Amino acid sequence: MNPQRRRRLLWVLLLVAASGLATALVAMALQRNVAYLYTPAEVLRGDAGSAERFRLGGMVAKGSLKREPGSLVALFTVTDGDAELTVRSDQILPDLFREGQAVVVTGRLQGDRFIAEEVLAKHDETYMPKELADKMGKAHVKHDVPVPAPEVR
């Protein structure tokens, strides 16, 4: 093999190695930021496993919202019809947050309480994330609750 060909081969090998390393680093960074959506029943059943950070979705149970006086700390219960999980948030809750509405909370499980890092409330009365709608639909079927027909606009 002549020196010019050897140099080209070395450059190609270095380029392949660098692109492989970059791909591995990007994949590791994305994996760390992935947050799966679970319902309270799935979390209590252990489906969330040892996921350090995940999303909890469901409805805010009526009568469950309690605020600590003089602070932003709020405690509320998220339910999916099968189970309930208490959520603690020290963030400002969204304006659309209220009892009886769908919510998606990102955070970590600490003991039997979910510690929220971010609370997302639905933006209008008909919106619900597809993942959550599918899981809530299964709960409605399980408990024989009539599901309202979607509005046609």
Side-chain angles (χ1 to χ4, degrees):
M1 187 180 291
N2 66 33
Q4 186 176 6
R5 198 174 255 173
R6 184 174 293 156
R7 225 182 353 255
R8 283 184 187 158
L9 180 62
L10 183 62
W11 277 110
V12 168
L13 290 175
L14 285 173
L15 183 64
V16 167
S19 65
L21 179 63
T23 302
L25 290 173
V26 167
M28 285 175 31
L30 290 175
Q31 179 124 17
R32 250 186 236 144
N33 291 328
V34 169
Y36 296 101
L37 178 76
Y38 296 100
T39 62
E42 292 171 330
V43 172
L44 296 175
R45 200 171 46 230
D47 292 352
S50 63
E52 195 167 303
R53 182 173 184 258
F54 61 93
R55 294 181 300 155
L56 174 69
M59 304 293 280
V60 178
K62 293 193 186 272
S64 69
L65 179 61
K66 293 174 183 53
R67 296 181 184 269
E68 289 184 10
S71 74
L72 292 175
V73 175
L75 294 170
F76 56 93
T77 303
V78 174
T79 183
D80 62 356
D82 285 336
E84 295 183 341
L85 193 59
T86 302
V87 176
R88 181 187 188 277
S89 173
D90 60 1
Q91 311 276 321
I92 295 175
L93 296 175
D95 291 337
L96 297 174
F97 178 88
R98 61 179 127 326
E99 295 173 346
Q101 298 284 355
V103 67
V104 175
V105 186
T106 304
R108 293 169 167 66
L109 193 61
Q110 194 174 65
D112 62 345
R113 186 175 284 177
F114 189 82
I115 307 301
E117 296 171 2
E118 181 181 27
V119 178
L120 301 172
K122 64 182 189 173
H123 67 276
D124 71 16
E125 64 273 354
T126 58
Y127 173 75
M128 185 178 290
K130 181 175 177 358
E131 297 171 292
L132 184 56
D134 292 345
K135 291 180 180 187
M136 293 294 284
K138 288 178 186 174
H140 280 125
V141 169
K142 180 179 177 183
H143 295 290
D144 199 26
V145 175
V147 179
E151 289 184 24
V152 178
R153 292 183 183 189

